Structures are given as structure tokens and as C-alpha cells.
Amino acid sequence: MDAPAENEFFKLLIIGIGLLLLVGGALVLFVVTYQKRLLQQQLRLREAEAEYQRQLLAAVIEAQEHERERIGRDLHDGIGATLATTRLLMGRLETNSQPTADAEDAGLFGMVNELMGTAVHDVRSISHSLFPAVLSRYGLAEALQHLVDVSNETGALDVELEVDYPQPLPLAQELALYRICQELIHNALKHAKGATRLDVLLRQRGPLLTLVVEDDGCGLAPTSGPEGPALIKGAGLRSIDVRVQMLHARLRQESEPGQGLRTLVEVPALAAA
């Protein structure tokens, strides 16, 4: 009589253990599935937040560029035109008064005319820096050539430009690339100690567009950061980072003490963006 009862007990025990294992497995599966869905939701939220930040940055940059364009046009068409007209009138006045003017007056006329010429040049330079009209008229290649020509006028560095850019991009993307290059050249002219040459390269290979700005100056020493070795970055390069994010591009800097600084911006599949 005891044997059947014991067999029944063992059967019930095995069934109970099986049910517990089944419930435990189901519980583990539920926890794993829940955590997986939670991680996926967190990733989607992070991606949405990153996209929102990119859109917000793009809106801020666009507003800044519109304001720069307005101020630049006002300078060029308003103050610049007024100064240019005043300079012409000063020239006529100097010519008309030449027979009766003494040496002192002639010297003053010449000095004022020279100052007016300097003012006209400065206004045009500031206007172009605020908004490069040549970019909207002739495209990125011509705008970079004008930027290099203006930089060479300073005489601080010998700036050379090489362009291989067969497929023009939309104006907003070209403007972002122009601003990146403008800031990199400005930084090199200001901070590249001991440099004698600055090379600028814009090259398009299929879907990849590459911008390289490289000097032969003293270079920078790497510093340790939370993500490993990194180069020292200033406020100007932070503005570059913003535009790099807008373009979904990659920015990389390479430098060693005494070996100059090479900054490379790669924009993948930009034409399809």
C-alpha cells in the first residue's frame, strides 16, 4: 500500500518541480524581453533627443546666418556704398582744388583719401566675412578661393588651395563647409606658431567629401580626456563641432609637437542628404 502512495507522491513532486521550472523560465523570459524592450525604447529616446538637438542646432545656425546676411548686405550696400561715394567726391574735390591748394592741404586730402580707401576695404572685408556673397553666386570652390586670396593678403602664412569638387551641393551645406574652413584658417593664422605654410584641400570622391586644413607649425601636444587622448580645443572649434554635427560628418585632428596640425572633416553621402 505504501509503494503506490510513494509513487503518486513522487509523480506529484516531479509535476510540481516541472511547473516551478516552467514558471521560472517564463518569468526569466519575461524579464529578459522586458529589459530588451526597455533598452530599445531608451535607444529610440536617445536617438530622438539627438535628432532634436541636431534640428535645434540647425535652426540656431540658420537664424545666425540669416542675421549675418542681413548685416553684411547692410554694410556693403549701405555704409560701404556711402564710403565709396564719399571717397570719389574727395577725389574730385582734391582735383578741383589742386591749383589753389597748398602743400598742407594737398597732404590732408591725400591722407583723408587713403583713410577712406582703408575704410572701404575694411567694410567690404567685414561684409564678406559676415556673409560670403561669392558663395551664393558662384559656389563653394570660388568662395574658398576668395577666402584663401584674402588670407594671403595678410602675409602671415602662404595659403595654398587644392579643389576637386565636381558635384556642387545645396547652398546650406556649402555654407556650413565654408564656415568650417573659414574658422580653421582663422585658427591657423592666429595660433599656428612657427608655421610658414597652410594647405587647404577640398576633395570629392563618390559619396565622400573631404576637407583638409594642414599647417607646418609647432603642432599641439595631446591631452588626456574622458574618451582618451584629445587635442586642445578652443571656442572656435566648438562652433566647428556644431556644423560637423549638422552635416552628420566626422572631424579628426592629428598633431605632434613640431609636426604641425592636420584637421580633417569627412562628410559621407552628403549629396544624398
Side-chain angles (χ1 to χ4, degrees), residues 30-208:
F30 170 78
V31 171
V32 171
T33 304
Y34 175 77
Q35 289 181 340
K36 184 177 180 180
R37 290 181 178 178
L38 184 61
L39 288 174
Q40 291 176 345
Q41 184 179 9
Q42 290 176 346
L43 287 175
R44 286 194 295 268
L45 287 174
R46 290 178 183 176
E47 291 175 356
E49 183 179 359
E51 182 62 26
Y52 172 75
Q53 291 294 333
R54 281 194 292 266
Q55 293 178 357
L56 182 62
L57 289 173
V60 171
I61 293 295
E62 184 179 2
Q64 289 178 344
E65 293 295 349
H66 282 310
E67 186 64 13
R68 284 183 171 187
E69 180 180 1
R70 183 188 67 80
I71 297 174
R73 292 189 186 279
D74 288 346
L75 279 174
H76 184 272
D77 299 336
I79 300 175
T82 301
L83 288 173
T85 303
T86 304
R87 187 186 183 193
L88 289 175
L89 293 175
M90 287 296 301
R92 290 180 58 184
L93 182 61
E94 182 181 9
T95 302
N96 293 336
S97 61
Q98 191 67 34
T100 59
D102 55 24
E104 183 178 356
D105 291 338
L108 288 175
F109 273 119
M111 184 181 299
V112 172
N113 195 31
E114 182 179 352
L115 289 173
M116 293 298 295
T118 302
V120 171
H121 179 270
D122 290 345
V123 168
R124 288 177 178 173
S125 297
I126 295 172
S127 174
H128 179 81
S129 177
L130 287 170
F131 181 76
V134 66
L135 176 67
S136 60
R137 293 177 184 175
Y138 305 110
L140 180 59
E142 291 296 328
L144 290 180
Q145 185 61 61
H146 183 270
L147 177 63
V148 167
D149 293 340
V150 172
S151 300
N152 278 322
E153 289 182 3
T154 64
L157 283 176
D158 180 20
V159 186
E160 296 290 338
L161 173 67
E162 180 182 345
V163 176
D164 183 3
Y165 182 59
Q167 297 179 341
L169 302 173
L171 178 60
Q173 295 167 340
E174 288 196 337
L175 181 58
L177 285 166
Y178 176 86
R179 292 299 187 197
I180 291 172
C181 187
Q182 183 182 39
E183 189 62 44
L184 289 174
I185 291 177
H186 172 75
N187 283 344
L189 294 175
K190 186 176 180 181
H191 300 295
K193 297 181 180 179
T196 60
R197 182 183 177 89
L198 181 65
D199 293 318
V200 180
L201 168 66
L202 180 70
R203 181 174 59 201
Q204 194 174 42
R205 290 289 185 271
L208 182 66

Side-chain angles (χ1 to χ4, degrees), residues 7-21:
N7 290 337
E8 188 70 21
F9 173 77
F10 281 119
K11 288 180 181 179
L12 291 175
L13 180 62
I14 292 172
I15 292 173
I17 292 174
L19 289 174
L20 287 175
L21 291 175

Side-chain angles (χ1 to χ4, degrees), residues 219-239:
L220 296 175
T223 58
S224 297
E227 299 180 355
L231 297 178
I232 301 173
K233 293 188 176 183
L237 290 181
R238 284 195 294 271
S239 70

